Amino acid sequence: MFKLPESRSKQWYSVGAFLFFLYFCALSASRLLLNIELDFKQLIGFAIISFILSCIIGIVGFFGKATLAIISSAFSIIGIIYVLFISVTNLHEGWSDITSIISFLTISSFGVVIGVIAEIIRTLFKKNPSKKSHL
């Protein structure tokens, strides 16, 4: 399995850069698979989406919120797989370009929300250890 970088490690910059490249390439590949011409505005939009999502994951990982980083990354990877699935199968004929991006954003956003909830729960349990009764 993968070993996550330590908190405050500069390796999180590399993780963020890798995720940016992965998201940007997947979003661009979805357009190419659908035979849709890519223009500069779309590339900038894909770069912004990729940058925001990779920064969220990289920054929370840098600050030691590994649970949030893992869950967000997992959901984003699921989103990428679904985008490519929609693009390859042309699942929503005529609407595949829009539905693939919306699906990716929805799945990734859901991952961030679930990750935040999981991180809050983890933090609460970490700060309030179960009290053992002394009989």
Side-chain angles (χ1 to χ4, degrees):
M1 197 83 195
F2 296 106
K3 183 178 178 187
L4 290 175
E6 297 292 323
S7 176
R8 309 267 187 211
S9 170
K10 292 187 180 194
Q11 290 178 339
W12 281 105
Y13 298 136
S14 300
V15 170
F18 171 75
L19 290 174
F20 170 80
F21 182 72
L22 178 69
Y23 300 150
F24 184 76
C25 288
L27 292 171
S28 299
S30 72
R31 296 296 162 257
L32 296 175
L33 289 170
L34 291 169
N35 293 325
I36 297 173
E37 188 175 321
L38 281 168
D39 62 357
F40 187 70
K41 286 169 61 174
Q42 285 180 339
L43 290 174
I44 294 297
F46 293 160
I48 291 170
I49 291 169
S50 301
F51 180 75
I52 290 170
L53 192 56
S54 63
C55 279
I56 288 171
I57 295 169
I59 289 171
V60 298
F62 181 80
F63 287 113
K65 305 300 182 194
T67 304
L68 175 56
I70 291 169
I71 292 173
S72 297
S73 297
F75 273 85
S76 296
I77 299 299
I78 291 168
I80 286 173
I81 292 168
Y82 191 62
V83 162
L84 296 176
F85 174 75
I86 289 173
S87 300
V88 168
T89 61
N90 203 5
L91 189 62
H92 306 117
E93 193 169 326
W95 293 92
S96 294
D97 56 337
I98 295 170
T99 57
S100 63
I101 295 296
I102 291 172
S103 298
F104 175 72
L105 292 174
T106 302
I107 293 169
S108 297
S109 299
F110 189 68
V112 171
V113 170
I114 296 296
V116 167
I117 292 169
E119 193 64 50
I120 289 170
I121 291 170
R122 182 175 172 264
T123 303
L124 290 176
F125 280 121
K126 198 175 189 181
K127 287 186 177 182
N128 296 326
S130 61
K131 296 179 183 179
K132 296 181 182 178
S133 60
H134 299 284
L135 297 175

